[in-house]
Amino acid sequence: MEHPVALIVQKFGGSSVADAESVKRVAKRIAATRRAGNDVVVVVSAMGDTTDELLDLAQQVTPLPPQRELDILLTAGERISMSLLAMAINNLGVKAKSFTGQQAGVITDAVHGKARIVDVVPHRIRETVERGQVAIVAGFQGVTESTNDVTTLGRGGSDTTAVALAAGLGADVCEIYTDVDGVFTADPRIVPAARKIDRITYEEMLELAASGAKVLALRCVEYGRRYGVPIHVRSSFSGKEGTFVSGTTHPLGAPVAALAQPTDPSSSAVPEELVMEAPIISGVAHDRSEAKITVVGVPDVPGTAARIFEVVAGSGANIDMIVQNVSVARTGLTDISFTLPDGDGAAALSALSRIQEEIRFDSLQYDDQIGKLSLVGAGMKSHPGVSARLFGALRDAGINIEMISTSEIRISVVTRADDLDDAVRAVHSAFELDSDTDEAVVYGGTGR
Ligand code: ADP
Ligand code: ASP
Ligand code: MG
């Protein structure tokens, strides 16, 4: 019986194509997939730390580069890797052609630096695949319909390109190849004892990604959930099966950690008491990319918070945690602190300083030496002991908590950036997520 041809979208991250040798290694993998009879569309990121290097270069020219120009600069990174990869695949005797985001029909809104994909019209990609050729698409970029300007999708955006193309083409699976064996209960770079999660739902993955687990970009998971694209996160350095992200939920109440263990077929996987008692913890995520702004000495009258956050939103910043406190300095005043991506810091500060007279606050403080740890799990809402256990773990590790926020399925704390790694390890152990068998492998990348 003949198998219908599968359409596979494969995305290779920067660490998988860090140098010419890696490009050739990845090309072999792609050629093998094609030779096995599959239709293949590839999405590729910029080589190694190219995007960071381009950002540094722009910073050396001007502290606030115009967003439109920055986008054009950054998309150059993916153009380098896409063409080299196409050359390497052709050299193996398999026909391949590369396309920019614009050529691939990735249409976005006009928000430079974090554009959203609004449509995918992949005519040229489909045509290429129908001719039996491999289509290579530059990740992380698109074009606006109205102005034809080139945009980027935000850091890690190649993941989103891949899932959006997979949805647009009706692919059977979107494989995200990276430098670790899948999604783990914590970043394996920090916690070598982290466990690989074999299967995870879109919802749990969304929460991990939103909390900083950069193995998958947040919008890629949102996109995958909306269009039901099965995502397989795996290593480009090994042949191991990775993590499947899909809409299938776990057996009711089963802790992820238990599912990640090899199951003994002779016994039922999760004992009944465990199902009822154990909090479901997906993992511990961390984020080093945020900063904290404190508006010091804000008059404690109605409307000031509204005005402050109107202005911050107007600067284009996405706010995360907010804390308001009665000021220690003087009565009748409050201090308002909030966190935001550090890339949005300069614009938010300058917008706020323009309303200093109007609001009559004392001063602004900026702190980019913070780290955020989040414990994520769908079951924690029914387990009141979870926060106490988390805070206890941090206390035992001698780590001070600066801010706390909670939701039904997540607890986040802000610490000093220098304490973050220790905090992640302490919390991971305290929730018994450490694997006592294998050590997680990090195959490449600089973790930048
Ligand atoms: P790529 O270049 O392939 O896009 P990224 O650096 O964006 O790779 O993402 C992979 C990295 O994500 C891993 O090397 C790892 O350090 C980090 N990471 C953070 N949290 C997790 C997690 N929970 N599971 C796996 N990797 C994680
Ligand atoms: N090259 C871009 C970045 O470094 C996009 C990506 O890698 O997904 O963020
Ligand atoms: Mg990435």
Side-chain angles (χ1 to χ4, degrees):
M1 201 174 72
E2 247 182 67
H3 285 289
V5 177
L7 172 58
I8 303 179
V9 173
Q10 300 188 321
K11 177 260 172 178
F12 293 89
S15 52
S16 297
V17 292
D19 51 27
E21 276 318 304
S22 316
V23 170
K24 291 199 260 181
R25 184 176 54 81
V26 162
K28 277 192 198 147
R29 190 156 196 151
I30 297 166
T33 311
R34 175 68 200 119
R35 287 205 170 104
N38 304 290
D39 284 340
V40 189
V41 173
V42 174
V43 173
V44 68
S45 295
M47 296 169 77
D49 291 331
T50 303
T51 307
D52 289 296
E53 286 154 14
L54 292 172
L55 278 169
D56 288 349
L57 203 54
Q59 278 294 319
Q60 289 170 38
V61 175
T62 163
L64 268 182
Q67 286 290 329
R68 179 186 181 277
E69 305 313 318
L70 197 57
D71 271 358
I72 295 188
L73 177 71
L74 295 186
T75 56
E78 271 72 10
R79 289 183 178 223
I80 295 172
S81 50
M82 76 179 201
S83 48
L84 290 174
L85 190 54
M87 291 175 200
I89 296 170
N90 279 300
N91 188 48
L92 297 173
V94 171
K95 287 245 169 354
K97 251 188 200 168
S98 67
F99 299 89
T100 63
Q102 178 168 18
Q103 291 173 317
V106 180
I107 314 293
T108 72
D109 64 18
V111 186
H112 285 292
K114 44 186 163 192
R116 272 182 190 274
I117 297 179
V118 294
D119 201 5
V120 181
V121 270
H123 303 310
R124 297 194 65 185
I125 305 306
R126 217 174 252 129
E127 247 170 57
T128 306
V129 167
E130 277 164 9
R131 283 201 199 108
Q133 303 178 352
V134 175
I136 316 282
V137 179
F140 169 64
Q141 54 183 272
V143 66
T144 69
E145 200 151 40
S146 47
T147 59
N148 225 25
D149 276 327
V150 169
T151 52
T152 64
L153 310 179
R155 299 308 305 269
S158 298
D159 296 341
T160 316
T161 306
V163 170
L165 266 174
L169 293 163
D172 296 280
V173 62
C174 181
E175 296 183 329
I176 305 282
Y177 285 92
T178 184
D179 54 10
V180 290
D181 281 313
V183 180
F184 286 72
T185 49
D187 187 343
R189 247 172 245 280
I190 298 180
V191 187
R195 298 176 199 234
K196 196 192 90 195
I197 301 170
D198 293 339
R199 280 165 204 286
I200 190 166
T201 60
Y202 293 121
E203 282 70 23
E204 289 164 309
M205 193 60 230
L206 266 180
E207 208 63 21
L208 282 175
S211 309
K214 68 170 182 158
V215 62
L216 280 183
L218 176 61
R219 284 193 183 158
C220 128
V221 189
E222 284 172 350
Y223 219 100
R225 177 170 68 165
R226 184 166 340 133
Y227 294 96
V229 179
I231 303 172
H232 183 188
V233 184
R234 59 193 307 194
S235 168
S236 72
F237 298 82
S238 82
K240 290 188 193 162
E241 198 163 90
T243 301
F244 289 94
V245 188
S246 70
T248 328
T249 48
H250 301 305
L252 184 72
V256 169
L259 288 176
Q261 303 266 23
T263 42
D264 173 0
S266 64
S267 70
S268 73
V270 185
E272 192 62 24
E273 335 67 87
L274 251 182
V275 170
M276 304 312 294
E277 302 289 337
I280 309 172
I281 304 295
S282 316
V284 185
H286 73 281
D287 193 345
R288 239 180 270 282
S289 68
E290 291 193 350
K292 179 170 78 175
I293 290 180
T294 304
V295 191
V296 182
V298 181
D300 196 5
V301 294
T304 44
R307 183 74 183 119
I308 285 172
F309 289 108
E310 250 167 45
V311 165
V312 173
S315 77
N318 286 320
I319 288 157
D320 183 16
M321 291 188 192
I322 301 176
V323 170
Q324 178 179 325
N325 248 335
V326 173
S327 177
V328 287
R330 265 186 291 150
T331 49
L333 300 180
T334 69
D335 291 346
I336 296 179
S337 293
F338 57 91
T339 61
L340 75 180
D342 58 7
D344 292 341
L349 280 176
S350 81
L352 281 173
S353 54
R354 284 196 292 273
I355 57 159
Q356 182 163 13
E357 299 270 282
E358 175 196 335
I359 301 257
R360 304 217 260 128
F361 60 80
D362 286 346
S363 59
L364 291 170
Q365 285 176 358
Y366 187 69
D367 179 0
D368 60 3
Q369 295 304 304
I370 61 163
K372 185 177 75 173
L373 174 152
S374 302
L375 183 68
V376 172
M380 60 173 66
K381 58 184 161 198
S382 51
H383 293 268
V386 173
S387 12
R389 192 151 154 198
L390 187 153
F391 301 149
L394 295 175
R395 173 204 56 212
D396 294 347
I399 292 162
N400 190 44
I401 301 172
E402 300 183 11
M403 290 169 104
I404 299 170
S405 84
T406 61
S407 79
E408 287 211 320
I409 68 164
R410 162 162 68 145
I411 305 173
S412 300
V413 297
V414 167
T415 67
R416 283 294 88 206
D418 286 344
D419 287 336
L420 190 58
D421 288 2
D422 288 338
V424 171
R425 283 187 284 264
V427 172
H428 195 267
S429 299
F431 284 88
E432 290 163 13
L433 295 169
D434 290 353
S435 159
D436 31 40
T437 48
D438 337 299
E439 192 150 289
V441 184
V442 178
Y443 296 92
T446 57
R448 193 170 166 183

